[in-house]
Amino acid sequence: MTNKMWGGRFASAPAGIMEEINASIDFDKRLFAQDIAGSKAHCEMLADTGIISREDADAIHQGLDTIASEIEAGKFTFSRALEDVHMNIESRLNELIGSTAGKLHTARSRNDQVATDFRLYIRDAIDQLDALLGGLQSALADRAHEHAATIMPGFTHLQTAQPVTFGHHCLAYVEMLARDRGRFIDARKRANESPLGAAALAGTSFPIDRGMTAKALGFDGAAANSLDAVSDRDFVLETLSAASITAVHLSRLSEEIVIWSSAGFNLLTLSDKFTTGSSIMPQKRNPDAAELVRAKTGAVFGAFTQLLIVMKGLPLAYSKDMQEDKVPAFTALDALSLMLVAMTGMVADMEPNVAAMRKAAAAGHSTATDLADWLVRTLDMPFRDAHHVTGELVALAETQSIGLSRLTLEDMQAVEPRITDEVFSILSVQNSVKSRKSYGGTAPSNVRKQARGWIKRLEKEATSG
């Protein structure tokens, strides 16, 4: 038996394996809400332009409402024989209202239908991700304000570099996530045009109003070229690109949580809510949530790469290859949503070990740059010369196995005679971070101001959004 939806051209049924490779209903059924919304808008336009009668349109609307209720209630049976979500809904509509259901497909194709559904889905997904990103920013900004003066080591090459504050470190990720949100918002703008009415590839001879359907579905307008409208998935690629960069940021923070919570660093602790134990070692507390966020980054990267490969060799317009666009997108965006929720929980849960952070910040001659800066300011020494003098003093401290601040004034004057005892006032980690008042610096006063600004901005977004 041939498929009633498209089988007029074919005399026999497809091979059994064809159903296995051709069917997409197992994954595209999650587009049912978008598909029904698109069908309603198309139906209303067909009636308003006189292409179908108002009576037929009312019957179609009622049938689509019934189908939506059935799916939401879990009472709808999806059939693989009907291939996809579009045909499953149309088939059920035919059962409910008879042959009038067939009029719904006037002046459209599954090509523009699926492109419309997918754009609606991506738009919804971006809105949900933006809310989750804002929630994570809020959690980080709250911790930044709470720990604006909590001193910790700042690292380069994972080596102690200069003292910073934990609040400053948290705000670094707030800034990264703000750019992530900006990329998603930009992607949403470009995704927000309607393919509906492009039909298979060439448009239609029916007197449709594409502007009407675009407006009804919340699009900024209709896609200007019918070939482009049905044949590109750059709006998905751009979204997955933004998702991949976001995942990088989440993975980096996860890596830091894993490192900092290890016994070797002992800079912070996660509670039982976000850790697990060992089946054999009773003392273990493993940061599994952070490790899994780090690992799920691979699923996001893989999805982006997969879709790039699918699209790279396709001539215009639509090819069946493009059916393979949805699984990677669903996989990546689901994974990213889960990662964001988990990370927001960990940020709120983690407790800095303040004493250990401060002790680690003082190690490794972390105030050496402060000493070099003091030489420049006080002795009018060129920075390169100050850098050299400071390097000699660091080497001297290392030969004595002590920190810079424990060198005697005589030791320092042996290297640079003009050094006075004033130098000791700038060698503490507390004074170091306090002095970093340049815009964007780690001074607690800066961090408090920045954190308050972000908290206020994010609260306003949440209220208005």
Side-chain angles (χ1 to χ4, degrees):
M1 180 176 180
T2 58
N3 189 310
K4 291 182 180 180
M5 298 295 177
W6 52 263
R9 167 67 177 80
F10 295 82
S12 61
I17 191 62
M18 188 61 184
E19 179 179 306
E20 291 297 317
I21 196 172
N22 194 49
S24 61
I25 189 59
D26 293 341
F27 53 84
D28 70 13
K29 61 186 178 184
R30 71 191 289 173
L31 297 174
F32 79 88
Q34 289 83 9
D35 195 70
I36 289 174
S39 290
K40 284 184 173 181
H42 185 67
C43 176
E44 187 66 18
M45 181 274 295
L46 291 176
D48 274 15
T49 54
I51 297 172
I52 66 173
S53 70
R54 175 55 61 185
E55 181 182 5
D56 286 343
D58 289 344
I60 290 169
H61 271 289
Q62 291 173 13
L64 290 172
D65 284 341
T66 298
I67 293 168
S69 297
E70 290 175 347
I71 296 174
E72 289 166 359
K75 297 179 180 179
F76 188 95
T77 301
F78 290 100
S79 169
R80 298 189 84 231
L82 292 170
E83 295 185 15
D84 56 33
V85 66
H86 324 298
M87 285 189 167
N88 270 266
I89 289 174
E90 185 175 335
S91 177
R92 178 57 178 152
L93 187 62
N94 186 70
E95 292 174 358
L96 291 170
I97 66 172
S99 61
T100 299
K103 296 184 179 182
L104 175 59
H105 209 55
T106 305
R108 76 173 182 183
S109 161
R110 279 192 295 174
N111 292 356
D112 61 333
Q113 190 176 357
V114 68
T116 301
D117 292 357
F118 208 9
R119 283 181 184 263
L120 290 172
Y121 172 84
I122 290 295
R123 193 177 71 186
D124 291 344
I126 288 174
D127 290 345
Q128 292 165 8
L129 288 169
D130 184 69
L132 292 174
L133 283 162
L136 178 53
Q137 283 184 295
S138 292
L140 285 162
D142 287 342
R143 300 316 300 271
H145 191 265
E146 178 186 357
H147 291 283
T150 299
I151 297 172
M152 68 171 288
F155 300 97
T156 61
H157 309 277
L158 202 55
Q159 307 293 314
T160 300
Q162 292 178 262
V164 296
T165 70
F166 184 59
H168 191 58
H169 201 104
C170 289
L171 286 179
Y173 284 99
V174 174
E175 296 290 340
M176 294 180 209
L177 295 169
R179 294 192 295 274
D180 292 330
R181 294 179 73 183
R183 278 182 280 270
F184 278 117
I185 290 168
D186 287 345
R188 191 191 192 284
K189 290 176 183 176
R190 279 181 283 278
N192 203 35
E193 59 179 31
S194 174
L196 197 55
L201 75 162
T204 178
S205 59
F206 288 95
I208 61 172
D209 185 344
R210 294 189 63 210
M212 179 182 175
T213 51
K215 184 177 180 180
L217 293 169
F219 288 113
D220 294 330
N225 183 284
S226 60
L227 283 166
D228 174 54
V230 300
S231 67
D232 207 347
R233 293 295 183 267
D234 58 352
F235 65 96
V236 189
L237 288 168
E238 187 172 7
T239 302
L240 294 182
S241 173
S244 295
I245 297 171
T246 302
V248 168
H249 292 151
L250 296 180
S251 185
R252 294 182 74 183
L253 180 51
S254 295
E255 175 76 359
E256 289 186 327
I257 291 172
V258 171
I259 291 171
W260 294 348
S261 62
S262 68
F265 279 76
N266 191 32
L267 299 184
L268 62 79
T269 302
L270 288 171
S271 77
D272 295 351
K273 295 178 182 178
F274 293 95
T275 57
T276 65
S278 166
S279 63
I280 190 173
M281 295 170 285
Q283 82 281 10
K284 293 295 295 297
R285 181 191 291 275
N286 300 321
D288 283 8
E291 292 172 353
L292 288 167
V293 168
R294 185 176 60 185
K296 286 182 181 296
T297 300
V300 181
F301 292 175
F304 181 37
T305 303
Q306 181 180 346
L307 187 54
L308 282 170
I309 293 170
V310 167
M311 296 300 300
K312 72 174 181 61
L314 300 185
L316 301 183
Y318 182 84
S319 296
K320 193 68 172 181
D321 310 51
M322 292 164 67
Q323 179 172 291
E324 297 299 309
D325 58 359
K326 294 167 199 64
V327 170
F330 295 160
T331 298
L333 300 180
D334 286 350
L336 185 59
S337 295
L338 184 58
M339 292 162 69
L340 286 166
V341 173
M343 183 57 73
T344 302
M346 281 187 284
V347 167
D349 179 79
M350 62 187 182
E351 282 302 323
N353 185 337
V354 176
M357 280 188 168
R358 188 182 183 94
K359 182 178 179 181
H365 312 294
S366 64
T367 57
T369 303
D370 297 271
L371 173 55
D373 290 345
W374 182 87
L375 293 171
V376 171
R377 285 194 308 270
T378 306
L379 304 183
D380 196 27
M381 187 180 292
F383 182 80
R384 287 302 172 198
D385 293 343
H387 187 285
H388 182 78
V389 168
T390 303
E392 287 190 60
L393 292 172
V394 168
L396 180 60
E398 286 183 344
T399 62
Q400 298 180 29
S401 300
I402 58 175
L404 272 175
S405 63
R406 293 183 60 193
L407 286 172
T408 66
L409 181 59
E410 290 74 17
D411 286 336
M412 292 189 181
Q413 290 177 336
V415 176
E416 171 49 61
R418 292 178 294 166
I419 293 177
T420 67
D421 60 4
E422 179 190 335
V423 74
F424 294 103
S425 67
I426 55 91
L427 292 179
S428 72
V429 291
Q430 182 175 352
N431 286 338
S432 175
V433 297
K434 187 178 179 180
S435 71
R436 305 291 170 178
K437 293 181 178 180
S438 59
Y439 180 75
T442 192
S445 57
N446 283 11
V447 174
R448 289 190 188 96
K449 182 178 179 180
Q450 291 277 12
R452 283 195 298 267
W454 271 113
I455 290 169
K456 184 177 180 180
R457 173 178 166 182
L458 292 163
E459 285 176 347
K460 184 177 180 181
E461 286 179 0
T463 303
S464 62

